[in-house]
Structures are given as C-alpha cells and as structure tokens.
Amino acid sequence: MIIAGLFITGVGFFASTQIARLFGATKLLLGQTATYIKWYSLFSIFFTASILGNAFVRNDGSPELAFWGMIVGALSNIFLDWLFIFPLQMGIKGAAIASGLGQLLSCLVLACHFLRKKGILRIERFSVNVKQCREVIVCGLPEFVIQISQPMTIFCYNLVILHYLGESGLTAFAGVTYMMVIMLGVFFGISQGLQPLIGTSFGRRETHKVNYYFRAGLLINLILSTLLYSIYVLIGPYALKLFITDNTLIPLAYTALKWYGLAYIPAAINIIYITYFLSIRKSGQAFWISCSRGIVLNCLLIFTLPALFGIKLIWLPLLIAESLTLIFAMLLKKRKNTKNIIADRTEDCLEKRMSQDNL
C-alpha cells in the first residue's frame, strides 16, 4: 500500500493537468481540477493506509476503534474544509489539503490499535511470499472493481452528459452524485460490518450463521435503500439546492435523482452478494458480479442507450445494469448453496491433511 501510495503521489502531483484532461475536465474546470488532484495526491499514502488500517483493525477485534477512526477523519475534514476555504482563503487547494489531513488524523487514530497491542496483529519484518501475494490480489480484485465502478460510472456519465446536455447538465448531475455518495456509503458500511461475521462463521463451518448474516444483510440494505430513496424523492428539490446554486437546473437534477437514484436499491443488494461471496472465499463469483454491475453493463449502457433511443433514457443505464446484475447474482447463489460450499471446503482440508500425513 505504501508503494501504491507513493506511485499515486508521483503521478498525481506531476501529471495533474494531464489526468484532469483524461477524465474530461473542460477548459472552465481544468485549472481547479488539476489543482485539487495535485495537492490531494500528496496525501495518497495516508488515504491508502486509512483504508488498509480500517480493515485490519475491524477484523482484529476493534470495530469500535475502526468506526471512530472514520468519524475523526470525516469530522476533521469538514472542519478543515471550512477553515482553509473561508477564514484562510485557500480555495480549492485548501479543500484538497483538508481532505488529506483528515485521512492523516484517521490513520493516527487507527494506529492506536497497534501501539496498544490490542489484537493479534503486529507490525513486524516479513519476507515476500509470491503465493500469498497472488491470493491477496485474487481476493482483492472484486473489491477493486467495486471501488472503481463509482468513478467509472461518473466518468462515463460526464462524457455523455457533456455531449448531450453541456456543462449545465454536468452541474446538475454533480449535485445528484453528492447525494448518492452518502447513500452508497451506508451500504458499504453494512457490507463491511458483515464481512468479518460471515467470514468467521464460514471458517468455523457454521452454515446457519453464514446464511443468517447473509439474509440479514439483504434485508437491512433493502429496507435502508428503499427508505433513503423515498426520503430523497420527498426532499430532493430542497436538498439539491445545497449543492446547486442555479435554481433553473433543479428540475433537471431532480429528474436525474429519481431515475438514477432508483438504481441504488438493486445496487445495495448486489453489494451484499459480493460481500457474501468474498467472505466464503468465492472470489471468482464476487469478481464477475462486480464486473457486471460496475464496468461491463453499466459503461456499455451509458453510451448506447442515449445514442440508440434518445436523451430521455440517459438516466436509466445504471438501473438496468444493476437489475440485470442482481438476477445474475441470484442465479450464482442458487447454483451452489452455502452448505455445499462448506462441505467442499471441508473435503479440501481433509485431502490436504492426508497428503501432508503421507509426506
């Protein structure tokens, strides 16, 4: 993660303008976009360390500390945004530095877990094991696809919206994405909370608990996604004014919110399916679900639907992609239930032990 953070820092700091152009920044937005990328990239190590540390601390028996690490990072980010942008008049540069310092503070909180030696994890010298590295990469691919699916979706939508609706449409869509990021964060929080519970139960071969946590996750995310979407529809015109200063764009943004936001109901369920498959060591299934919802169907439909059927369908690609992915995930789950997966894993363990005994 340190190596990855250093790489991102180098690329982001020295090629910020090129990156901004690559992701579709117009002349009006290019300068400030490049400035934000340049200064935020300086804190890439702390951003990656915060993600990694949160996962380690949560799985090492301190979910409360992991929670407070994220809370401290978020609240300090909000305060420092205000401090740097308004009293100190640092503009977009200040916003980037504030976000980076928020991640730094989050890392300091998470570091307390290791300094106090609360769990079993220790920071020690180690030798690189190619087999273990490969296993980490394979297990991490679905999560990688999940994380890049949101910026990929926004990137593709930015290109399409600029083509059909211009910069005003892009401003309207930005307001919608701010609201949906909050909604998406809730679903990821639920799934990350379920991951160690399902994983531990699977390791103990407790089939009933694995199925219980899986069904509970589906139900919680279904209820929360439906509730949040209903609230967004009710307060949408008022909430969007917090992010969009031009009132003439509110009707367009509200239409986008209703159709684009509806996709987050099946998306919330898909996230639970991905977490379930990851937790029971079925990375292949999780990877294909992630690719289906995040890259293949989504990006394909974003470009093709408006081109084939007109601008009226510009907000529907995500809903269609998530719904088709949900059907695909349900079929994968039905193909092999948890009981059979655990039975197969037990047989594999017995075979390994027998071969070791023979040796």
Side-chain angles (χ1 to χ4, degrees), residues 53-236:
N54 183 269
F56 280 161
V57 171
R58 188 177 69 248
N59 283 275
D60 199 28
S62 297
E64 298 89 355
L65 185 63
F67 169 77
W68 284 111
M70 296 299 100
I71 291 295
V72 168
L75 293 180
S76 60
N77 188 0
I78 293 171
F79 171 74
L80 292 173
D81 269 332
W82 168 81
L83 177 66
F84 290 163
I85 294 174
F86 294 105
L88 300 182
Q89 295 291 307
M90 295 175 65
I92 198 72
K93 174 183 173 182
I97 295 174
S99 298
L101 290 177
Q103 297 299 328
L104 171 59
L105 292 173
S106 178
C107 289
L108 293 177
V109 173
L110 296 172
C112 295
H113 175 80
F114 304 101
L115 294 174
R116 294 184 298 172
K117 299 182 178 181
K118 283 289 186 179
I120 63 172
L121 294 179
R122 298 289 183 269
I123 299 174
E124 299 175 350
R125 294 181 62 183
F126 70 101
S127 58
V128 177
N129 186 308
V130 176
K131 183 179 179 181
Q132 289 180 345
C133 290
R134 184 170 62 249
E135 185 178 359
V136 169
I137 292 171
V138 170
C139 292
L141 275 175
E143 183 69 18
F144 169 72
V145 175
I146 291 173
Q147 295 296 334
I148 67 168
S149 63
Q150 181 71 2
M152 281 287 291
T153 298
I154 294 174
F155 171 59
C156 293
Y157 256 119
N158 284 349
L159 297 178
V160 173
I161 290 171
L162 279 172
H163 177 73
Y164 288 100
L165 301 175
E167 290 182 352
S168 59
L170 200 60
T171 302
F173 179 64
V176 174
T177 58
Y178 288 137
M179 295 181 65
M180 302 320 299
V181 164
I182 299 171
M183 195 171 176
L184 196 63
V186 174
F187 307 147
F188 279 129
I190 298 298
S191 68
Q192 289 183 5
L194 283 173
Q195 177 265 313
L197 297 176
I198 296 176
T200 302
S201 301
F202 178 73
R204 293 173 178 170
R205 298 173 179 80
E206 296 173 340
T207 309
H208 63 288
K209 285 189 176 182
V210 173
N211 290 327
Y212 170 78
Y213 289 131
F214 171 66
R215 290 193 296 266
L218 290 179
L219 182 61
I220 292 170
N221 265 15
L222 177 61
I223 293 173
L224 285 177
S225 60
T226 305
L227 179 63
L228 287 172
Y229 174 74
S230 301
I231 293 172
Y232 276 9
V233 170
L234 288 174
I235 68 170

Side-chain angles (χ1 to χ4, degrees), residues 21 27 29 32 44 47 58 78 98 111 117 126 128 142 158 161 174 188 224-225 236 263 303 314 331 336 347 358:
R21 285 200 185 99
K27 290 182 179 179
L29 304 172
Q32 294 196 57
S44 296
F47 182 75
R58 188 177 69 248
I78 293 171
K117 299 182 178 181
F126 70 101
V128 177
N158 284 349
I161 290 171
F188 279 129
L224 285 177
S225 60
F303 289 109
I314 196 170
L331 292 174
K336 202 167 190 179
E347 290 177 4
N358 291 332

